[in-house]
Amino acid sequence: MLEQTIDFIKPSGVRTGIERWSVDAIVTLFELPFSDLIYRAQTVHRAHFDPNAVQVSTLLSIKTGGCSEDCGYCPQSARYQTGVENEELMALDEVVSAARAARDSGASRFCMGAAWRGPKQRDLEPVLKMIQQVKALGLETCATLGMLKEGQAEQLKQAGLDYYNHNLDTAPEFYGEVISTRTYQDRLETLDRVRDVGINVCCGGIVGMGESRSQRAGLLAQLANMEQPPESVPINLLTQVEGTPLAGTEALDAFEFVRTIAAARITMPHSSVRLSAGRTGMSDEMQALCFIAGANSIFYGEKLLTTGNPDVERDRALFAKLGIKGMN
Ligand code: SAM
Ligand code: DTB
Ligand code: SF4
């Protein structure tokens, strides 16, 4: 039954029709003996990707803090006391030098993040210049700016944006427990706008927020059942930040996290699955399990947006130990 669902997906990654991953079928994957699940995920991974190549992206927060939204996990919401300073949009030359440094240390994609509900037109214009200049350095460009209004995705496309990151974050029925200032439907509308103009979609979520296994499967079902699944699927492990409502949530079991990566790989065989936030707290062995389970992308560099990430020396050493090469 599971193989059947995999067979329905054409090599192009475009879904053939009415077939869908049910939440139950994905829960069944999660319930497999660990070794069987990893074997399936590795098999799918090897059929579609070089198993020893991992794509590296570097993140930069171009506009930090003071966000009007109430996302319960986020240190950048103006509603929580987290110690994150509210900063203005960064200057163009600073962004370009950060991108050059990221390229020189081996990143192939540069992702610019802004703590906005969505960009106003006067916010978007300087960001378009950043995208043009980062692209001119030979990097792939990615931006995550919140919800887009009509016409904004077109402008981003024209500026040379390759990827737009916009996460669904969790299952629809858990969304309201985490965020009240926007709806799931709002997120889906922005994702449609991005897809419609031909920008690659980067869309995933966060686990470890107190959701159930079936809700983790529910997030993956939303992603895998899109008419065209996202090209890139970030799986974040909640980074608990003091002052946010989700600080103090019971930590997710490490094997359950690896199972989530494996289920993402099996249900989205053509997508890059990114092992995203949370790596600082993971052992090398846990990260290796994630790569074996089909993760083939990471954020690279000491910082995510406001929180820490392993330093490049640790990642280089890990890649060397595992025989992984960074890929473009
Ligand atoms: N404001 C925009 C938005 O919400 O789409 C873009 C930036 S927002 C920080 C990007 C993503 O970061 C969120 O969708 C969420 O998945 C992730 N994120 C934020 N805080 C996190 C945390 N503490 N742990 C893990 N992921 C987090
Ligand atoms: C994504 O899925 N994870 C990244 C990126 N997209 C923008 C962000 C992680 C943020 C972790 C918390 C922080 O550093 O503020
Ligand atoms: Fe704002 Fe994005 Fe953080 Fe939500 S996740 S509070 S929208 S920066």
Side-chain angles (χ1 to χ4, degrees):
M1 180 261 287
L2 295 172
E3 286 83 355
Q4 211 178 354
T5 317
I6 293 163
D7 288 344
F8 274 125
I9 307 212
K10 281 186 175 168
S12 63
V14 177
R15 300 181 62 81
T16 54
I18 53 162
E19 74 289 348
R20 288 165 63 85
W21 277 97
S22 68
V23 176
D24 283 350
I26 301 176
V27 169
T28 306
L29 288 177
F30 273 84
E31 287 171 348
L32 286 171
F34 189 70
S35 179
D36 292 351
L37 174 61
I38 300 301
Y39 175 70
R40 275 173 188 257
Q42 253 289 299
T43 307
V44 172
H45 190 48
R46 282 175 182 267
H48 298 98
F49 289 99
D50 175 344
N52 302 306
V54 169
Q55 187 272 332
V56 293
S57 294
T58 293
L59 264 177
L60 177 69
S61 181
I62 59 170
K63 160 68 188 83
T64 305
C67 185
S68 61
E69 300 292 275
D70 69 352
C71 313
Y73 45 78
C74 186
Q76 301 200 72
S77 166
R79 298 168 194 238
Y80 316 131
Q81 300 297 316
T82 62
V84 170
E85 298 286 334
N86 181 2
E87 291 167 20
E88 298 286 286
L89 183 66
M90 277 176 74
L92 177 63
D93 59 341
E94 288 177 49
V95 174
V96 175
S97 359
R100 194 177 292 111
R103 182 196 62 188
D104 294 346
S105 67
S108 63
R109 190 177 308 156
F110 192 68
C111 181
M112 293 160 270
W116 290 323
R117 171 176 165 83
K120 301 184 179 70
Q121 190 55 30
R122 69 162 184 277
D123 297 324
L124 195 62
E125 272 152 26
V127 175
L128 299 175
K129 292 204 182 78
M130 293 173 189
I131 292 166
Q132 284 157 356
Q133 298 209 10
V134 171
K135 181 112 177 140
L137 295 173
L139 283 158
E140 287 184 318
T141 54
C142 174
T144 181
L145 314 171
M147 292 183 281
L148 298 178
K149 292 186 259 309
E150 211 184 321
Q152 293 187 321
E154 285 82 350
Q155 295 177 67
L156 290 165
K157 174 72 181 170
Q158 274 173 14
L161 190 70
D162 296 305
Y163 288 80
Y164 195 77
N165 166 244
H166 199 64
N167 291 337
L168 285 175
D169 281 322
T170 193
E173 68 275 16
F174 193 63
Y175 203 72
E177 309 270 317
V178 179
I179 300 156
S180 78
T181 48
R182 55 170 192 264
T183 64
Y184 218 70
Q185 190 53 35
D186 289 330
R187 295 302 268 190
L188 292 169
E189 279 167 23
T190 290
L191 290 166
D192 280 346
R193 293 198 158 120
V194 171
R195 182 56 87 204
D196 285 350
V197 300
I199 296 173
N200 291 304
V201 172
C202 172
C203 181
I206 311 178
V207 295
M209 299 197 291
E211 74 288 339
S212 63
R213 175 178 268 184
S214 146
Q215 288 166 337
R216 285 186 280 283
L219 166 68
L220 297 182
Q222 287 288 324
L223 299 167
N225 291 334
M226 285 177 179
E227 203 175 308
Q228 195 175 341
E231 280 72 21
S232 165
V233 178
I235 304 293
N236 296 277
L237 177 61
L238 175 69
T239 299
Q240 299 199 9
V241 179
E242 208 55 53
T244 60
L246 289 181
T249 305
E250 193 184 338
L252 189 73
D253 174 70
F255 292 112
E256 185 68 10
F257 183 81
V258 179
R259 285 177 184 276
T260 310
I261 297 274
R265 166 51 62 226
I266 294 167
T267 54
M268 291 172 276
H270 299 273
S271 306
S272 289
V273 175
R274 180 172 303 135
L275 173 56
S276 302
R279 287 200 302 118
T280 310
M282 293 179 198
S283 66
D284 284 0
E285 292 81 358
M286 178 172 169
Q287 292 186 64
L289 274 178
C290 291
F291 295 132
I292 294 167
N296 61 348
S297 171
I298 58 163
F299 285 120
Y300 183 66
E302 280 76 12
K303 213 168 169 197
L304 292 169
L305 292 171
T306 65
T307 63
N309 198 41
D311 57 36
V312 296
E313 285 74 26
R314 180 177 166 199
D315 281 341
R316 282 190 188 138
L318 177 61
F319 277 20
K321 274 197 253 185
L322 300 178
I324 287 175
K325 52 186 182 287
M327 85 180 161
N328 292 317

